[in-house]
Amino acid sequence: MRYADLHLHTYHSDGTRSPREVIDLARDRGITIVAISDHDNVAAFFEIKPYANESGVTLIAATELSCIVDGVDVHLLAYAFDATDERLNQRLGKFRETRQNRGALMVEKLRSLGCAIELRRVEQLAAGGAMGRPHVARALVEAGYVDSVSDAFDKLLGAGKPAYVDKERFRVDEAVALVRAIGGVTSIAHPTLYPNHEQLVPRLLDAGVDAVEVFHPKVDAVWSERYSNVARFRGKFVTGGSDDHGAAKEVETIGSVRVPESLLAPILERL
Ligand code: AMP
Ligand code: FE
Ligand code: FE
Ligand code: ZN
């Protein structure tokens, strides 16, 4: 039996590891099916596909999409699509561009609040990938304005906090249709993190999302079992992953979630 981790971030979005480090660490921890799900970016897939092959790791094309449905932010994981399709790459390229502008706006807001961080430093931390609040948060930690990344979110960067800047998102139906059109499937990331998730999860499945991420560090055993049943009842499937961001989060979780391959046929049969 092989095991999978289908939710991992690298420095192509807001993680700190390279794709190669992620592959090596996953394999060291007994995981040989990997999806690198960077926010708005599939660069890791192209970069590391040959190395994954050599290492005996099955690499699945993936990305994590920020979506909006009825005013609620929902992250959808997309898997096993044609990563060369220009329709997705153009959209993701646009999202990454607007993330850059948003980074500059957040830095301006912070400077006006007396937190004099440099945009250049945030750009360095983002390393050309999908810039996000975690990069701004790390620059704030480095400059000593906050104690930790989560402190930065609590005081400044979280929704409704003084340096928050909204970002562009997919409509859920649009994301679902695009991923389907390029041969992939979608899964509701970390389902318990949304307000009213009990109503939201069935509604998203009925709207065409294919799976629920029931194995995740923030989903406890009770909800995991419940959402497995909700998915099965609707003819959907389940996914899981560690959502590891390397040192960008307080806890490194790679290896903590191991999904048996037998649950992942709807993804593996697309490869
Ligand atoms: P963004 O896509 O730029 O809005 O940033 C969202 C990302 O920030 C998420 O994908 C998480 O990785 C991270 N994040 C969100 N909330 C927190 C928090 N309270 N503490 C640390 N990281 C967070
Ligand atoms: Fe993230
Ligand atoms: Fe997420
Ligand atoms: Zn994630």
Side-chain angles (χ1 to χ4, degrees):
M1 174 66 82
R2 300 172 72 205
Y3 291 94
D5 184 337
L6 301 186
H7 193 158
L8 292 156
H9 296 269
T10 73
Y11 57 36
H12 289 295
S13 64
D14 54 358
T16 55
R17 302 184 210 281
S18 68
R20 193 180 177 119
E21 285 171 319
V22 165
I23 297 288
D24 289 344
L25 262 174
R27 206 187 35 182
D28 287 352
R29 295 175 188 186
I31 289 159
T32 56
I33 303 171
V34 167
I36 296 179
S37 57
D38 279 312
H39 304 282
D40 296 342
N41 206 344
V42 289
F45 177 76
F46 295 108
E47 183 182 311
I48 209 64
K49 184 75 177 137
Y51 180 72
N53 282 342
E54 285 165 28
S55 313
V57 168
T58 302
L59 187 70
I60 297 163
T63 182
E64 185 172 8
L65 302 170
S66 301
C67 302
I68 186 120
V69 60
D70 299 338
V72 179
D73 270 320
V74 175
H75 287 179
L76 286 188
L77 295 155
Y79 294 117
F81 47 82
D82 173 5
T84 63
D85 194 290
E86 275 315 302
R87 284 170 289 178
L88 180 69
N89 284 314
Q90 272 174 20
R91 279 311 288 277
L92 298 187
K94 283 257 168 57
F95 282 127
R96 291 198 298 274
E97 240 176 82
T98 59
R99 280 174 167 280
Q100 298 270 346
N101 303 335
R102 171 185 182 236
L105 279 174
M106 284 192 280
V107 169
E108 265 176 47
K109 277 196 167 186
L110 285 163
R111 293 179 72 91
S112 75
L113 292 163
C115 302
I117 58 166
E118 301 286 341
L119 178 59
R120 218 174 2 166
R121 183 60 191 143
V122 178
E123 284 168 349
Q124 276 169 359
L125 290 168
M131 185 186 285
R133 286 179 287 164
H135 303 112
V136 179
R138 282 161 62 200
L140 283 164
V141 175
E142 280 181 4
Y145 292 112
V146 292
D147 296 332
S148 65
V149 166
S150 58
D151 192 31
F153 274 87
D154 290 347
K155 291 183 177 146
L156 294 160
L157 301 173
K161 300 295 153 94
Y164 178 74
V165 179
D166 205 10
K167 75 173 179 210
E168 213 180 307
R169 297 179 188 82
F170 264 117
R171 288 201 334 260
V172 161
D173 55 333
E174 209 189 339
V176 165
L178 176 55
V179 173
R180 193 169 283 173
I182 62 174
V185 293
T186 49
S187 182
I188 305 166
H190 38 67
T192 52
L193 294 192
Y194 314 114
N196 285 327
H197 58 84
E198 233 172 323
Q199 284 79 44
L200 187 68
V201 168
R203 208 148 50 75
L204 288 168
L205 293 175
D206 294 341
V209 179
D210 302 291
V212 188
E213 188 183 48
V214 303
F215 306 108
H216 183 281
K218 296 262 167 78
V219 178
D220 70 24
V222 171
W223 281 110
S224 180
E225 160 132 38
R226 262 191 220 172
Y227 281 142
S228 296
N229 290 331
V230 169
R232 192 156 26 138
F233 178 66
R234 285 179 162 71
K236 310 284 177 158
F237 67 103
V238 297
T239 68
S242 64
D243 206 357
D244 186 88
H245 285 66
K249 295 236 165 135
E250 272 85 49
V251 262
E252 304 197 7
T253 49
I254 189 167
S256 69
V257 172
R258 302 153 58 83
V259 186
E261 68 174 330
S262 56
L263 294 178
L264 301 174
I267 290 180
L268 295 173
E269 73 197 8
R270 275 161 210 271
L271 302 183

